[in-house]
């Protein structure tokens, strides 16, 4: 059809017709409800920010993919690529006045512009949860518990998803212990970030070339990732007091996760590094256990970011969970809600003479909080029943002349086909048929 | 504080810290809940569209204020200034497959770029409600009822707000009857749009100069707006069959509004024209009765728009209701919800030894759907009670060694100060203190 080709959705952007929006709303509701159970409050910022908010502090990958442009006032601006800089900016003005810790969350739409890869989106929604002003392991654990609890409430239990957790301080201590110089740590992180996707020899060779370590040290580092579990790492490297302290911290963290009821979800995994430069402590990513999908969620501790953006120096830990991978996973696992049209009532009329009364009944039912669809023109009973079915009406009321003469209407329950007679007066409340207009509104008051 | 000045919100954009987001969420909830009661389904489109979607069909005012730019791929794009073109674009592909009428709504953020007037925003949120595929007065009335019902559910009754309603077909018939040529009708609309803000003589003079009518006809037109009510118009102009038909339609519309319970909100008012060129039938605006604020809502029938955007020719009626004026009005009338921090529980520990149990209890309460805040480090009882107060905890549970020895915890109700003893076992369910981790999660299942 030529008409459909006239205007197109921009590449990388999504329309959300009702059947797609239903899944998005389902995620948003579970996210918000979970945040509420942990005492987090929702905030939001603008989708557009001054470009400099990102160019100075965000990681290279984010800056390279900024959806940036110059506005009509010659101002360099960008569609927000991540939420944390906006959070930091908003808190810079307010954090002093707020009781600590600050528990905030948001559900922003985020944007990036990159040469389009097949099917790669330029926007997504991302639940951002941050806990600011507390640097304890309890804070780390609470934030990860929020992420996992949301997945559990969506039907993804410990048998379906797992959180892989590491700690930048532990990794730094191990690398220092292995002989990596302080100024090569970030380079080493970048190389280790690939440890799962590249052969061990390649990782070792890059450590020698780029991180400036001897082949012996490189082998020792690569060996770290063969150590499975905290105990093995402690056995090999626990003599170093910095390593030992970092290991204690991870152990305490895992203990708190157990207490909170999420021990079964969590695995210690040194290979989790995370790309962003600003992490300073715990880092985690959540994956489906089968390993079919990209990470569902990623986060960690970033104790220096607020200060860099101009705020008070406050420790912080948080995560982002996007809608795209999670939606795919839920659909794949049969956990996406089936989309169906549903209303409480279809209220029609057997002949045009009953339509005013049908409208009054619809108005009264809506004022009481029910959802009601009515025909919007004279229609046959047959046509109305068809509409009632396509609207997914749970009950149908067709106001007919014989019943009206008796002061009643018949209500058909569409689930079991049963029919009940209901007094019109009881449905209209104080408003008798033919009464002055507006009485239902006045009597019914707010349906809230 | 110098830190606060480092990064700024872009001019015309708003941050929503929790106390502001609470009001926005309140509006969104009432909007969505009202739409649901009328059987409308939510959809959404992207915030960015190809520029041509607007330059061809939107009104001049909108095109002149487009927040438009060229992206990195040399594509002319715009942040959406209104939702209807996106709706039309989305429906162009789908409307044939959908049962009619189509009842859709959305809550988009919209954008405009204009030379900044003092305090003028460059973004706002706007509830868009559209009913597509039905051209009856019932459809017109249902859409206006949705708008008014949302205000009623926010606490704004017929004593606080009113809908001023006119009809483009009636106005056209009256102008033609008064002697205005067809090709001057739109010019005449623009002049009449100012009838409330300019002296009658000025309006009459402009009608002569710009709409090409004689001074006598101009006087006759201006006289139309002195006619108060349908009957007065019918008396003066009802002999014209086109006018009579349009008057009948408005009368029927008002009757349906009465039936639906909103008669008390609605006033016929020929001075309502609405700026946008695409309206073809009923037009309405909702105002506070005192007349202090700008319009809360505006809408009407636009039967040719879908076709212009490349879709099937379908009649449509809809409205937009923004968050800015409505928020101001609600605050002014004391109808904005008071923002307060609230959680069901604060669960702390008298000594560090009880903290693991306190965490387990918090986990169990959250798994049952309650909201719980816990201290995230060792803290004195005094400090914990202070946190419980600042978090707005309804109940406080401080797990203490003596109570634990007896297998109970004490729960203090913060509303009345009463204290109750609760068995720990009953709170933890299957999970006894010290049990293997994760059991609460398994036993509690989804808190949904």
């Amino acid at each position: 059809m030529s008409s459909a080709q006239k205007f197109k959705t921009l590449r990388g952007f999504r329309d959300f017709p009702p059947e797609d929006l239903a899944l998005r709303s389902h995620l948003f509701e579970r996210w918000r409800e979970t945040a509420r159970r942990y005492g987090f409050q929702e905030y939001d910022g603008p989708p557009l920010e001054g470009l400099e908010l990102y160019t100075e502090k965000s990681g290279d990958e984010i800056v390279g993919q900024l959806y940036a442009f110059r506005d009509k006032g010659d101002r360099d601006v960008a569609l927000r690529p991540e939420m944390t800089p906006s959070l930091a900016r908003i808190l810079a003005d307010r954090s002093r006045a707020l009781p600590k810790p600050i528990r905030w969350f948001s559900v922003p739409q985020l944007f990036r512009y990159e040469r389009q890869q097949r099917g790669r989106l330029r926007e997504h929604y991302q639940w951002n949860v941050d806990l600011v002003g507390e640097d304890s392991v309890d804070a780390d654990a609470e934030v990860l518990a929020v992420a996992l609890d949301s997945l559990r409430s969506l039907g993804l239990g410990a048998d379906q998803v797992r959180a892989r957790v590491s700690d930048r301080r532990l990794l730094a201590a191990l690398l220092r212990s292995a002989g990596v110089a302080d100024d090569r740590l970030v380079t080493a992180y970048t190389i280790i970030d690939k440890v799962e996707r590249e052969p061990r020899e390649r990782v070792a060779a890059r450590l020698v070339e780029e991180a400036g370590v001897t082949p012996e040290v490189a082998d020792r580092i690569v060996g770290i990732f063969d150590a499975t579990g905290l105990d093995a790492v402690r056995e090999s490297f626990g003599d170093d007091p910095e390593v030992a302290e970092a290991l204690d911290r991870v152990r305490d963290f895992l203990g708190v996760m157990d207490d909170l009821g999420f021990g079964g979800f969590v695995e210690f995994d040194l290979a989790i590094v995370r790309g962003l430069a600003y992490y300073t402590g715990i880092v985690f990513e959540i994956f489906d256990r089968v390993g079919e999908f990209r990470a569902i969620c990623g986060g960690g501790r970033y104790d220096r970011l607020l200060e860099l953006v101009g705020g008070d120096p406050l420790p912080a830990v948080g995560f982002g969970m996007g809608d795209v991978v999670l939606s795919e996973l839920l659909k794949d696992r049969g956990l996406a809600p089936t989309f169906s049209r549903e209303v409480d009532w279809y209220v029609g009329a057997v002949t045009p003479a009953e339509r005013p009364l049908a409208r009054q009944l619809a108005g009264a039912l809506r004022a009481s909080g029910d959802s009601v669809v009515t025909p919007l023109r004279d229609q046959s009973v047959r046509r109305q029943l068809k509409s009632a079915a396509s609207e997914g009406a749970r009950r149908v009321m067709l106001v007919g002349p014989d019943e009206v003469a008796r002061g009643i209407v018949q209500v058909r329950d569409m689930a079991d086909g049963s029919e009940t007679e209901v007094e019109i007066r009881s449905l209209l409340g104080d408003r008798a048929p033919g009464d002055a207009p507006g009485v239902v509104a006045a009597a019914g008051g707010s349906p809230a």
Side-chain angles (χ1 to χ4, degrees), chain A:
Chain A
M1 126 174 99
S2 69
S3 64
Q5 285 144 19
K6 189 160 185 192
F7 296 104
K8 288 265 182 213
T9 317
L10 287 177
R11 206 151 58 136
F13 286 79
R14 292 171 292 172
D15 289 327
F16 290 90
E19 63 272 21
D20 294 340
L21 195 89
L23 176 54
R24 189 180 107 184
S25 298
H26 178 61
L27 292 188
F28 288 10
E29 272 168 34
R30 295 288 87 212
W31 286 346
R32 292 193 164 104
E33 198 278 326
T34 304
R36 185 195 62 77
R37 282 189 288 118
Y38 287 77
F40 284 69
Q41 300 179 294
E42 188 169 1
Y43 73 98
D44 197 5
L48 211 60
E49 295 270 10
L51 182 65
E52 67 283 0
L53 184 64
Y54 307 110
T55 46
E56 291 185 30
K57 304 303 159 217
S58 292
D60 283 348
E61 191 193 339
I62 282 179
V63 171
Q65 300 181 356
L66 278 172
Y67 208 126
F69 55 93
R70 183 159 288 186
D71 73 14
K72 292 181 185 172
D74 272 338
R75 179 108 173 69
D76 284 314
V77 297
L79 288 162
R80 60 185 170 198
E82 54 167 345
M83 197 60 182
T84 315
S86 299
L87 170 68
R89 180 182 57 66
I90 295 170
L91 283 180
D93 276 342
R94 316 180 153 256
S95 65
R96 276 187 206 179
L98 294 170
K100 311 291 176 311
I102 299 160
R103 290 179 174 90
W104 278 16
F105 78 97
S106 191
V107 188
Q109 190 174 19
L110 305 178
F111 305 86
R112 64 178 166 197
Y113 194 102
E114 53 179 334
R115 195 155 294 285
Q116 192 77 350
Q117 295 175 346
R118 194 158 45 101
R120 200 85 193 267
L121 288 174
R122 285 181 172 159
E123 53 76 23
H124 74 140
Y125 289 86
Q126 191 186 71
W127 186 32
N128 273 252
V129 173
D130 291 275
L131 198 156
V132 175
E134 176 56 64
D135 64 3
S136 66
V137 289
D138 277 76
D140 295 345
E142 178 163 301
V143 162
L144 180 54
V146 171
L148 292 169
D149 210 339
S150 76
L151 297 177
R152 192 171 68 180
S153 83
L154 286 161
L156 293 164
D159 55 329
Q160 300 249 34
V161 294
R162 61 175 177 148
R164 299 166 65 191
V165 180
S166 184
D167 192 300
R168 281 276 174 99
R169 284 161 300 196
L170 174 59
L171 186 58
L174 286 168
L175 292 172
R176 278 195 211 102
S177 170
V180 177
D182 271 2
D183 63 355
R184 298 296 177 94
L185 280 177
V186 173
T187 309
Y189 293 160
T190 316
I191 298 166
I192 289 162
D193 199 26
K194 305 276 189 303
V195 80
E196 291 185 308
R197 278 158 287 175
E198 290 183 356
R200 291 290 154 97
E201 308 79 59
R202 170 86 186 114
V203 170
R206 286 189 63 194
L207 284 168
V208 173
E209 290 160 31
E210 300 168 39
V213 301
T214 64
E216 195 192 9
V217 168
D219 284 343
R220 203 166 170 224
I221 293 171
V222 170
I224 295 171
F225 299 94
D226 294 326
T228 52
L230 277 183
D231 291 342
V233 175
R234 194 184 294 274
E235 205 163 297
S236 306
F237 301 87
D239 292 341
D240 183 317
E242 201 195 344
V243 171
E245 193 193 327
L247 282 168
D248 286 350
R249 199 176 162 98
V250 173
R251 181 202 59 208
D252 291 348
F253 169 84
L254 296 174
V256 177
M257 290 305 295
D258 276 355
D259 289 339
L260 294 174
F262 295 94
F265 287 85
V266 182
E267 291 170 18
F268 168 67
D269 189 338
L270 268 175
I272 296 300
V273 177
R274 307 229 3 100
L276 292 173
Y278 55 58
Y279 288 111
T280 56
I282 192 169
V283 283
F284 57 81
E285 295 184 351
I286 303 177
F287 292 88
D288 68 291
R289 285 206 181 263
V290 182
E292 291 173 275
F293 295 88
R294 283 175 290 138
I296 301 163
C297 171
R301 175 162 288 285
Y302 55 96
D303 282 347
R304 285 192 292 269
L305 188 67
L306 297 191
E307 196 174 356
L308 289 173
V309 172
D312 282 351
L314 284 171
V317 55
F319 68 81
M321 183 185 291
D323 69 325
V324 177
V325 174
L326 183 54
S327 294
E328 285 169 14
L329 177 60
L330 289 173
K331 281 190 227 169
D332 185 79
R333 301 292 194 265
L335 292 169
T338 50
F339 174 73
S340 60
R341 304 180 64 175
E342 278 182 5
V343 289
D344 298 321
W345 295 92
Y346 185 90
V347 177
V350 175
T351 81
E354 291 86 48
R355 290 192 63 213
L357 178 56
R359 289 187 204 109
Q360 291 171 32
L361 290 164
L365 288 166
R366 287 174 184 141
S368 76
D370 284 356
S371 55
V372 186
V373 165
T374 65
L376 297 177
R377 54 171 61 240
D378 296 341
Q379 284 178 334
S380 69
V381 166
R382 182 196 172 86
R383 180 77 181 74
Q384 291 180 66
L385 288 175
K386 209 177 144 194
S387 295
S390 84
E391 297 283 352
R394 281 181 278 272
R395 280 161 289 184
V396 173
M397 186 193 291
L398 289 186
V399 185
D402 300 344
E403 289 83 6
V404 170
R406 293 167 49 213
I408 59 115
V409 285
Q410 253 182 357
V411 175
R412 187 188 182 90
D413 186 306
M414 300 303 273
D416 59 14
S418 65
E419 294 205 339
T420 326
E421 293 190 346
V422 185
E423 269 190 39
I424 292 169
R425 189 162 286 272
S426 73
L427 289 168
L428 289 182
D430 296 342
R431 182 182 188 180
D435 260 11
V439 178
V440 170
S446 160

